[in-house]
Amino acid sequence: MTLYSYWRSSAAYRVRIALNWKRLDYHTQPVHLLRDGGEQHQTWYRDLNPSELVPTLCDGDVVLNQSLAIVEYLDERYPSPNLLPRHAKERALVRALALDISADLHPLNNLRVLNYLTEHFAGDKHSKVEWYRHWVAVSFTALEQRLNQLGGQCCVGDEVTLADVCLVPQVYNAERFACPMDNYPKIREICQYLETLPAFELANPHAQVDAD
Amino acid sequence: MTLYSYWRSSAAYRVRIALNWKRLDYHTQPVHLLRDGGEQHQTWYRDLNPSELVPTLCDGDVVLNQSLAIVEYLDERYPSPNLLPRHAKERALVRALALDISADLHPLNNLRVLNYLTEHFAGDKHSKVEWYRHWVAVSFTALEQRLNQLGGQCCVGDEVTLADVCLVPQVYNAERFACPMDNYPKIREICQYLETLPAFELANPHAQVDAD
């Protein structure tokens, strides 16, 4: 398998965690999102992924974009150890948490959005950093409440799931933008536990071949 | 089942299509996103859904947010007729298309984001409408290319899937914001076919009890 990845991309980070969790061998092909205006916009990559975003996973003749679709694919194709619970209700709760992060929060704070915002909208008073922190605060407030109901060591109970795969990269990025984290003790507690697990450690941006 | 819905919400529209497709009986509980500063922010609703977004689905004691998690739940719990294909590769392609729309595009153009943008960022030269149209153009350009490869009558081949459930509400909203659609003949062709299907017709915003 080949993963087209960028060390700091949250979405690529999710897939790296899932691949490690399942102990799957893969080759990392770095796509530098900043160099030369962004390698994701070059023809060779656009042919692979017309959305011009990372990650892309190639597994034989299967070429996939979208981190959550990739993790679900890995979970179906290589089910042990699983990242989605057995029962429909728990699966739905895990997926909803994953989407709370990956659909409602992360796309708002993605590189392309921050660039477009800065270029066309940001003035003297408001900056992309305020934008970033605002959406983290909105989402983490709701997430903290949900995790207090559902969480144990992990987001849903004590087993690692797709929700945890999404949580750690999001918290990593929130810390990078110095978002205040005092109001989210449950999020922090779960994250601290997850970061001790080898699958998560190995997926950390700073452990990647293309890290600056 | 009770669906907490707003007639114009893309995300609620998706769930309505899925419920109709599966011929499931449900009760609509309107949540007016504009009235009184937004009913989604009132305590009674926040207790049900701390993210203060629609939709929420209650199926017995199962309370779910996130439209894609809800549709996947319905597909597992009430599998016939299905909205995800049988094979892992096709399931992944369908999920990726659904996320191209629901994660990479729709959250950027959501009501709360447009409001925040207008309040804190938009100046004389750029408005929320330009923001909206920019992200539709970026996503639809990639989507058109993918659908030319994967699509038939529907987004993936000729069977209705989760991807179609996401496409129709997104195109409805793009047309509401008068986004130019000339460059996306395949998107339009698929949408025109889907809109003739009763499950999609009945889910249309203007057919809802709470439509203005």
Side-chain angles (χ1 to χ4, degrees):
Chain A
M1 276 190 272
T2 300
L3 178 66
Y4 294 82
S5 174
Y6 178 63
W7 64 294
R8 254 183 179 158
S9 154
S10 279
Y13 192 172
R14 290 176 205 142
V15 177
R16 294 195 300 260
I17 296 169
L19 287 163
N20 295 341
W21 187 251
K22 292 176 175 291
R23 300 173 194 276
L24 295 168
D25 273 334
Y26 70 98
H27 165 71
T28 300
Q29 178 62 53
V31 179
H32 202 296
L33 300 190
L34 305 173
R35 195 187 294 148
D36 302 329
E39 291 178 353
Q40 74 277 21
H41 304 305
Q42 292 176 5
T43 312
W44 70 271
Y45 188 73
R46 228 166 43 203
D47 287 346
L48 208 61
N49 186 337
S51 305
E52 304 174 32
L53 295 166
V54 291
T56 305
L57 183 80
C58 296
D59 183 19
D61 69 332
V62 181
V63 180
L64 289 177
N65 69 314
Q66 286 292 349
S67 60
L68 294 195
I70 294 170
V71 177
E72 293 254 9
Y73 166 83
L74 293 173
D75 212 49
E76 293 181 356
R77 194 84 178 64
Y78 309 98
S80 180
N82 61 308
L83 283 167
L84 282 161
R86 218 175 282 259
H87 297 291
K89 180 183 167 178
E90 278 71 40
R91 292 164 73 85
L93 293 172
V94 164
R95 286 186 175 124
L97 288 172
L99 288 160
D100 286 341
I101 296 167
S102 311
D104 283 349
L105 172 53
H106 175 252
L108 297 172
N109 288 342
N110 212 349
L111 176 67
R112 63 176 189 167
V113 174
L114 297 181
N115 284 348
Y116 186 75
L117 184 75
T118 303
E119 206 172 318
H120 293 284
F121 287 89
D124 295 338
K125 282 195 183 160
H126 287 87
S127 69
K128 69 174 184 182
V129 177
E130 282 163 293
W131 168 277
Y132 193 105
R133 290 183 187 153
H134 171 75
W135 295 116
V136 167
V138 166
S139 281
F140 277 16
T141 301
L143 192 62
E144 179 75 7
Q145 198 175 324
R146 290 191 200 279
L147 295 184
N148 275 321
Q149 290 165 1
L150 299 170
Q153 272 195 314
C154 300
C155 287
V156 177
D158 294 327
E159 302 293 330
V160 171
T161 65
L162 175 64
D164 302 294
V165 164
C166 295
L167 183 68
V168 168
Q170 184 58 63
V171 170
Y172 168 86
N173 268 302
E175 286 172 345
R176 194 157 82 82
F177 277 79
C179 298
M181 290 294 292
D182 287 352
N183 291 336
Y184 320 116
K186 187 67 183 172
I187 290 177
R188 282 160 54 215
E189 181 197 310
I190 292 172
C191 239
Q192 274 160 19
Y193 166 68
L194 294 169
E195 280 168 353
T196 66
L197 305 175
F200 288 76
E201 266 188 305
L202 282 169
N204 188 285
H206 297 285
Q208 303 315 303
V209 287
D210 57 331
D212 276 355
Chain B
M1 280 192 271
T2 300
L3 178 67
Y4 294 82
S5 174
Y6 179 62
W7 65 293
R8 255 184 179 158
S9 155
S10 278
Y13 191 173
R14 290 175 204 143
V15 177
R16 294 195 302 258
I17 296 169
L19 287 163
N20 295 342
W21 187 252
K22 291 173 174 295
R23 299 175 196 274
L24 294 167
D25 273 334
Y26 70 99
H27 165 72
T28 300
Q29 179 62 53
V31 180
H32 202 295
L33 299 190
L34 304 173
R35 195 186 295 148
D36 303 329
E39 290 178 354
Q40 73 277 24
H41 304 305
Q42 293 177 4
T43 312
W44 70 270
Y45 188 72
R46 228 166 45 204
D47 288 346
L48 207 62
N49 186 339
S51 305
E52 304 174 29
L53 294 166
V54 291
T56 305
L57 182 79
C58 295
D59 182 20
D61 71 332
V62 182
V63 180
L64 290 177
N65 69 315
Q66 286 294 349
S67 60
L68 294 194
I70 293 171
V71 177
E72 293 254 8
Y73 166 83
L74 292 173
D75 211 48
E76 292 182 356
R77 192 87 178 64
Y78 309 97
S80 180
N82 60 307
L83 283 167
L84 282 161
R86 219 174 279 259
H87 297 292
K89 179 184 167 178
E90 278 71 41
R91 293 164 74 84
L93 292 173
V94 164
R95 284 186 176 125
L97 288 173
L99 288 160
D100 286 341
I101 295 167
S102 313
D104 283 350
L105 172 53
H106 175 251
L108 297 172
N109 288 341
N110 212 348
L111 177 67
R112 61 177 190 166
V113 174
L114 297 181
N115 284 348
Y116 186 75
L117 183 76
T118 303
E119 206 171 317
H120 294 283
F121 287 88
D124 293 338
K125 282 196 185 158
H126 287 88
S127 69
K128 68 174 184 183
V129 177
E130 281 162 294
W131 169 276
Y132 193 104
R133 290 182 187 155
H134 172 75
W135 296 117
V136 167
V138 167
S139 283
F140 277 15
T141 300
L143 192 60
E144 178 75 7
Q145 200 176 324
R146 291 191 199 280
L147 295 185
N148 274 321
Q149 288 164 4
L150 299 169
Q153 269 194 317
C154 301
C155 287
V156 178
D158 294 326
E159 301 294 327
V160 170
T161 66
L162 176 62
D164 302 294
V165 164
C166 295
L167 182 69
V168 167
Q170 184 58 63
V171 171
Y172 169 86
N173 269 301
E175 286 172 344
R176 193 157 83 81
F177 277 79
C179 298
M181 292 292 292
D182 286 351
N183 292 335
Y184 319 118
K186 187 67 183 174
I187 291 177
R188 283 160 52 217
E189 178 197 310
I190 292 172
C191 239
Q192 275 160 16
Y193 166 68
L194 294 169
E195 281 169 353
T196 65
L197 305 175
F200 288 75
E201 266 189 304
L202 281 168
N204 188 285
H206 297 285
Q208 304 315 303
V209 287
D210 58 331
D212 277 355

